[in-house]
Amino acid sequence: MSIPCLWEAGSKLAYVVSAKFDYHSYICPDVGPAYASALGIQVLSFSGVSYGEDYIYIIDPQLSGAEVAALRSVIFNHDTRIVFRIIDPYWPPQDTNPLRSLAFEAASLRESCVLSAYQPSEIVDLLAKVYGPKRFHVSPYPYDVSKEIPFDWSHRKRMIAITGNHNPSLYPVRALARRKRVTSPLWRAFTTNLSHPGYMNAFGGQALVGDRYIRYLSQHMMMYLCPSRARLEFLKYRECAYAGCCPVGQSPEGFPVSASDSILNVSLTAFKEQFRKIRHTTPEELLDRSTRYRLSLAQERSPSLIKDRLLKWVNSVYG
């Protein structure tokens, strides 16, 4: 049963986006208006927010340094219900993320909470401990069934699509896959490689991003998935299902069991044996795995389910 919307009880939930960040050029719908719209949450621009008492504000992670400074002034001088939405968990030499830094600073304020896109890891694991279980919530990206491409495998290549950043310190399994393309002719013949275009679309709309990226993936029977060293449930796990590819690689932390069971595992320690298994997996089994994988995400990451859980948590904190 769904949770009543907060605005029915007099409190409105709003998603505050930066007035300075160029969301239209950003290639991922994991922040900004695109993310809020997927969950049916009202969007407010930072420049137009008055921070009234009848609102609970979810703060987008792309706020500029100046906007974060202005937000700090608000929350430390007024009783404002603020939910910091945090994405990046990696532990750099020093914390240069201004919103994440403010979230740590505001932990003593009972009206502040944290909403994480991923299971706690690295810096965000520390943030979760500072806030405690009641004021920290994990809300994965919603799955959009309208982006699904039909399962027509007649024109697909029996190959694995490898895409994304391959920094070995962040993405060790994907970096291994890229290295193997150099050292193993058989692996190179079994895979394709698409370099990461950067998060801001610097190619004037010519890069393979968004729907074009999903159509590119759909030319393959399989897609390589790496959750990074922090075991994060990236958007790529959704895009693999949208494209109807069989997932190859590793599961992220907190992933639905039914989705994890559909992944053909590839690890750092048993690559040769696992690749042999993949090569001998029939197209029929690949299709079965991709079908089960898509069904699992459509059910376990549906926007209605994620929103209901989000509203239930917000009600438990502020209700």
Side-chain angles (χ1 to χ4, degrees):
M1 184 174 70
S2 63
I3 305 300
C5 291
L6 284 167
W7 46 82
E8 294 176 3
S11 293
K12 298 179 181 180
L13 189 63
Y15 193 85
V16 180
V17 301
S18 172
K20 299 180 179 180
F21 186 77
D22 185 5
Y23 292 101
H24 295 293
S25 295
Y26 193 65
I27 70 170
C28 299
D30 58 352
V31 297
Y35 171 80
S37 297
L39 295 177
I41 301 174
Q42 178 184 4
V43 177
L44 298 177
S45 173
F46 185 84
S47 61
V49 178
S50 58
Y51 297 104
E53 294 182 359
D54 58 339
Y55 271 94
I56 297 167
Y57 301 95
I58 300 177
I59 308 299
D60 187 75
Q62 295 294 352
L63 260 61
S64 68
E67 289 171 329
V68 171
L71 178 64
R72 183 189 184 282
S73 178
V74 170
I75 65 176
F76 279 98
N77 290 286
H78 306 279
D79 289 333
T80 307
R81 293 175 291 184
I82 294 292
V83 179
F84 297 99
R85 184 161 181 264
I86 304 297
I87 292 180
D88 183 10
Y90 299 114
W91 201 297
Q94 58 182 3
D95 193 347
T96 57
N97 184 304
L99 188 70
R100 192 171 56 197
S101 297
L102 179 58
F104 275 107
E105 188 180 358
S108 61
L109 303 177
R110 62 182 181 86
E111 298 291 344
S112 65
C113 295
V114 170
L115 181 67
S116 173
Y118 308 118
Q119 295 293 325
S121 181
E122 302 195 21
I123 291 178
V124 176
D125 184 46
L126 178 58
L127 196 60
K129 292 174 181 175
V130 170
Y131 273 81
K134 181 178 180 180
R135 296 165 59 208
F136 182 92
H137 180 70
V138 176
S139 186
Y141 302 123
Y143 184 86
D144 184 356
V145 295
S146 70
K147 294 183 178 294
E148 292 179 348
I149 290 179
F151 284 117
D152 180 6
W153 279 31
S154 59
H155 302 294
R156 292 188 185 227
K157 296 173 285 192
R158 192 168 182 271
M159 300 179 75
I160 304 170
I162 303 173
T163 72
N165 190 316
H166 58 276
N167 182 327
S169 68
L170 294 179
Y171 308 99
V173 179
R174 190 184 298 151
L176 171 68
R178 288 260 169 77
R179 289 198 303 272
K180 289 294 183 180
R181 282 181 52 82
V182 176
T183 61
S184 170
L186 185 59
W187 175 253
R188 184 167 61 251
F190 206 73
T191 59
T192 62
N193 177 56
L194 180 66
S195 298
H196 197 292
Y199 290 104
M200 303 303 291
N201 189 356
F203 295 94
Q206 299 305 309
L208 289 175
V209 299
D211 292 340
R212 295 181 65 197
Y213 174 63
I214 295 171
R215 288 195 297 272
Y216 166 81
L217 295 175
S218 71
Q219 300 170 20
H220 306 75
M221 290 188 180
M222 294 163 279
M223 178 182 176
Y224 199 85
L225 296 172
C226 172
S228 84
R229 73 184 190 205
R231 302 285 306 278
L232 307 180
E233 189 179 327
F234 294 120
L235 280 176
K236 277 185 168 52
Y237 286 86
R238 311 286 186 277
E239 292 161 336
C240 176
Y242 296 155
C245 297
C246 175
V248 173
Q250 293 185 332
S251 298
E253 196 70 35
F255 212 41
V257 174
S258 54
S260 293
D261 289 344
S262 304
I263 298 177
L264 284 168
N265 189 53
V266 173
S267 67
L268 293 172
T269 57
F271 182 89
K272 186 175 181 179
E273 294 78 9
Q274 291 163 344
F275 177 38
R276 184 183 298 113
K277 177 182 177 181
I278 293 170
R279 292 203 324 269
H280 291 91
T281 301
T282 65
E284 290 75 21
E285 182 181 344
L286 294 176
L287 178 59
D288 177 66
R289 284 177 177 270
S290 61
T291 302
R292 289 187 284 112
Y293 180 74
R294 173 182 280 185
L295 179 62
S296 174
L297 288 189
Q299 293 176 340
E300 298 296 328
R301 296 296 185 256
S302 72
S304 60
L305 181 62
I306 289 174
K307 185 176 181 180
D308 281 353
R309 289 173 176 170
L310 173 60
L311 293 177
K312 182 178 180 180
W313 169 67
V314 172
N315 272 320
S316 72
V317 176
Y318 298 111

